[in-house]
Amino acid sequence: MRKILFAAASVTVLAACGGAGDGSEGNATGNQSSVSSSTGEAQDVTVEVGDDFALRLQTALIEATPGSTITLPAGTFAMTDGLTLDVDGVTLRGASQSETILDFKNQMGSGEGLLVTSDDVTLTNFTVRDSKGDGIKSKGADRITYSDVKVEWLGEPSEENGAYGIYPVESTDVLIERTHVRGASDAGIYVGQSSNIIVRDNLAEFNVAGIEIENSSNALVNGNVVRNNAGGILVFDLPDLPVMGGNSTLIRNNLIEDNNTRNFAPPGNIVASVPSGTGVIIMANDRVMVRDNNFANNQTAHVLITAYSQAFSDADYNPLPRNIEVRNNTYGESGYNPQGDLGEIASLVGGNLPPIIWDGVTSWGGNDETDVNIFIDEPASVGFVNLGLGSYPIDVSAASPSMDRPDGESIGNMPTVTLAHAE
Amino acid sequence: MRVALAACLGLLLSACGQQQVPAGPDMETILAAGPAETLADYGLFADASARQPSAGVVPYDLINPLFSDHASKHRLVYVPEGEAAAYRGGEEVLDFPVGTVLIKTFAFAPDMRTPAEGERYRETRLLIHKADGWAAYPYVWNEGETEARYAPAGAWLDLAYTDPSGTPVEIDYRVPNQNQCKTCHQLGDAIAPIGPKGRNLSHEGPLGVDQIDDWTARGMLTGAPVSFDVVADVHDASLPLDARARAYLDINCAHCHRAEGSASNSGLWLGWEVDEPVKLGVGKHPTAAGRGSGSGTVVIEPGLPDASIMVYRMDSSEAGVAMPELGRALIDDEGVELVRAWISEMDVAG
């Protein structure tokens, strides 16, 4: 049989290997949504202290029955590879954040400490420490709960630390509560390409970004303490990703203070552009409300509303923030030592910056100016600047700053985030 | 001698009922809900050391394999008697019937320049097409190579050998755990084979005949056309750089870096069929690379391999930086050079 040698790679446009119609496919991963209806009873397991702990824990994670609880004892346990969980409905429970510690400092493989790829999983009462990549990642893991877990990198904040601490992605119904994340070289808590999200009552500190909601929709970020990061809470939308059009995030009742740690992110990552000393950054998103938060001592600004700042070619992407409302927050000292590009711009407005900054970008790609509806509903005593950059791409020298607030209107009540698996 | 002994043992054990070694592929074990304790239980081999395939178990290889620390890989396929895989286009993995077993044994010799001399089997991975989809099971060989036991949590093996370039290496070789098998073999919610696509099989395999012709003649395969495109051999320097580099990315990266794969959220898709430059990484900013980005700002910077995150991650063996993140402890220097050359020659204008 003679074959033609090969097809030219660059021009061959064939249907992507779609899942549909793939005769070999079956539901081998068992991703059924029901937890307890599978055959056989859930068998709870306790992984005892002793030799080969990592091996026995990983075996328990693989052999877990759907709906079961795997209990971890108190102690510090050395891990040599990333752990993985792919069974629905499993609860992984330690003794407490301070007592059960999975220590990855000698990790030799995998991109994260713990990877969850199944639905209806609860992670609680343990710590993941010093993983080489991300701390805990859950991908395509619907109805996941992270509660009372800690992800940390010990020592001074470092470029060598893993990127994300708690990292749910491509998931629906995500609950992250009472966790503690420290030292991530990107975001401590990062929720990406997901919907229906509650991030509440967490402590995020000494990360580049404390909490980041990216390319996601319908999120509530409430009651968190976000301090000593480079940037506190970020709501971003980025181009060239499978899920775009980030929208509908409410940032409420958080304490956002002292986010003046140097930005220690590796340069290629989007958070490397976050000026140290920023409380909240809203970038390229639709319908974001920032209300009832307590801002204190963020050296660059408390609230920064900005367009996506890098080159992109994605025709489906909108780089502008629009329908943004800022109201009824408490503002302490800020803007006294602005960093990054904002440092340059500060010189145009007298050296210091007001607590709320909008870049003033209203058009991109040669499009007409659009009504982006930025609504600053704060007392007149709260400072604001519109940098007046006008159109994307951003050219700092084009700035024509104005203290006048844009003529916006309220975006109304944010929809309540209702999770399928938790109150 | 060993073979004879094992055969006797098999006869002896079969008398006890419980641990009998089947005389040929055992469909009950193959289609069971869970894995068998030992590789021998499946009856895929006539001998305990898995050197003698049972009738119907056919050795094959791939034009381009995934890099796995220079391991020799011995691949075999079993398609149940009377059944056949269906060809469905060279780009697609063959449509194997339920009951198919894909067997891959990873082996190392003291000197990988002469991989057949003193070769030791280390691990065998099975992909079994169960009634409800594919399942992946890892088995680890004992020191005497008399038994490979199911090892759901994988294993770390201390290996020392001379690599094909003549350099002595010592590595912590990772036998992946069962979930890690799935990480690479993920296709949406299911798992699937990666390598045995028509275009990656169609050449003279270990049996010395064209594999597509041979499988068709054996009745294991139906529907393959007389002529179709085959993938560029990554190592054939006479072929165009672009085709070789794209073929390399396809087999080493695209199982995760595609819409249905484990790295779908990166938006970086590296399959052969992808034609949008930004999806391939040209000018694309990293999404979740963390320190894996090194000092680079884009995945591929045309003309500048050293500024390209793709090269940086391929050229690392450190967890958290290295790509692929599973399946290798060593850097594939040849692969790095190939991709480096490909990026170097890219038109800077885009």
Side-chain angles (χ1 to χ4, degrees), chain A residues 1 3 5-7 13-14 17 22 26-29 62 80-81 84 86 132 139 164 167 170 193 242 268-269, chain B residues 91 132 134 152 156 174 179-180 182 187 189-190 202 213 226 230 260 262 264-265 272 275 287 290-291 293 296:
Chain A
M1 188 185 298
K3 311 273 153 62
L5 190 53
F6 55 84
V13 187
L14 292 169
C17 329
D22 176 348
N27 198 345
T29 50
I62 287 169
T80 53
D81 194 17
T84 60
D86 190 39
K132 296 296 184 188
K139 181 172 183 290
Y164 301 140
Y167 176 14
E170 291 183 347
Q193 300 179 52
N269 299 276
Chain B
E91 308 283 323
D132 60 352
W134 290 90
W156 289 105
R174 179 65 183 165
N179 290 344
Q180 290 168 332
K182 289 185 189 176
L187 185 73
D189 280 343
S202 183
D213 292 348
V226 173
V230 305
E260 307 85 358
S262 293
S264 56
N265 59 298
W272 177 261
D275 64 346
T287 308
R291 67 198 180 94
S293 63

Side-chain angles (χ1 to χ4, degrees), chain A residues 126-305:
Chain A
F126 62 89
T127 287
V128 165
R129 177 180 289 169
D130 288 337
S131 57
K132 296 296 184 188
D134 303 310
I136 308 175
K137 178 178 179 180
S138 50
K139 181 172 183 290
D142 296 340
R143 299 174 300 282
I144 191 163
T145 298
Y146 294 83
S147 73
D148 301 286
V149 293
K150 182 175 182 180
V151 177
E152 65 179 347
W153 285 270
L154 298 178
E156 291 295 307
S158 165
E159 288 80 346
E160 293 299 303
N161 294 350
Y164 301 140
I166 290 174
Y167 176 14
V169 65
E170 291 183 347
S171 301
T172 302
D173 295 309
V174 173
L175 176 61
I176 301 168
E177 61 180 0
R178 299 186 305 275
T179 71
H180 181 184
V181 285
R182 184 188 187 284
S185 68
D186 197 302
I189 295 171
Y190 170 96
V191 184
Q193 300 179 52
S194 294
S195 62
N196 272 16
I197 299 147
I198 295 181
V199 179
R200 65 188 177 203
D201 306 324
N202 301 283
L203 170 59
E205 58 179 355
F206 298 105
N207 309 286
V208 172
I211 297 170
E212 181 173 356
I213 308 294
E214 187 173 281
N215 293 53
S216 291
S217 59
N218 221 25
L220 171 65
V221 180
N222 188 78
N224 301 283
V225 175
V226 184
R227 66 187 184 205
N228 292 314
N229 307 284
I233 298 174
L234 316 183
V235 183
F236 282 9
D237 198 56
L238 304 181
D240 297 317
L241 292 178
V243 177
M244 293 191 300
N247 69 87
S248 305
T249 291
L250 172 58
I251 300 172
R252 189 169 188 182
N253 299 326
N254 302 284
L255 173 59
I256 304 166
E257 64 177 0
D258 301 322
N259 291 294
N260 302 319
T261 294
R262 74 181 175 95
N263 189 323
F264 58 100
N269 299 276
I270 186 71
V271 295
S273 63
V274 169
S276 161
T278 317
V280 165
I281 305 178
I282 300 161
M283 185 175 78
N285 244 265
D286 187 16
R287 295 197 304 282
V288 180
M289 183 180 286
V290 182
R291 63 175 291 190
D292 308 326
N293 300 285
N294 185 355
F295 290 99
N297 190 34
N298 296 304
Q299 66 183 346
T300 294
H302 289 321
V303 179
L304 173 61
I305 302 163

Side-chain angles (χ1 to χ4, degrees), chain B residues 78-219:
Chain B
Y78 171 67
V79 176
E81 210 177 328
E83 309 261 354
Y87 176 88
R88 49 179 177 180
E91 308 283 323
E92 302 289 336
V93 171
L94 302 182
D95 186 5
F96 290 103
V98 169
T100 296
V101 186
L102 297 169
I103 306 153
K104 183 159 61 169
T105 295
F106 291 67
F108 288 88
D111 187 338
M112 291 306 289
R113 288 172 297 186
T114 50
E117 288 177 26
E119 177 181 69
R120 283 273 320 270
Y121 279 14
R122 296 296 183 172
E123 56 150 330
T124 297
R125 304 178 192 173
L126 298 186
L127 268 181
I128 303 179
H129 197 179
K130 307 274 187 182
D132 60 352
W134 290 90
Y137 300 130
Y139 289 82
V140 176
W141 284 94
N142 63 6
E143 283 298 308
E145 290 170 89
T146 56
E147 183 182 76
R149 289 198 78 80
Y150 173 57
W156 289 105
L157 306 176
D158 295 328
L159 297 185
Y161 51 89
T162 300
D163 78 11
S165 75
T167 308
V169 295
E170 271 189 72
I171 59 170
D172 293 299
Y173 175 84
R174 179 65 183 165
V175 179
N177 73 44
Q178 197 167 312
N179 290 344
Q180 290 168 332
C181 297
K182 289 185 189 176
T183 302
C184 291
H185 286 274
Q186 179 186 335
L187 185 73
D189 280 343
I191 62 177
I194 299 167
K197 299 171 178 171
R199 64 174 186 209
N200 202 16
L201 285 166
S202 183
H203 77 149
E204 199 172 280
L207 298 179
V209 288
D210 181 284
Q211 296 181 136
I212 296 292
D213 292 348
D214 182 43
W215 292 16
T216 301
R218 287 170 186 266

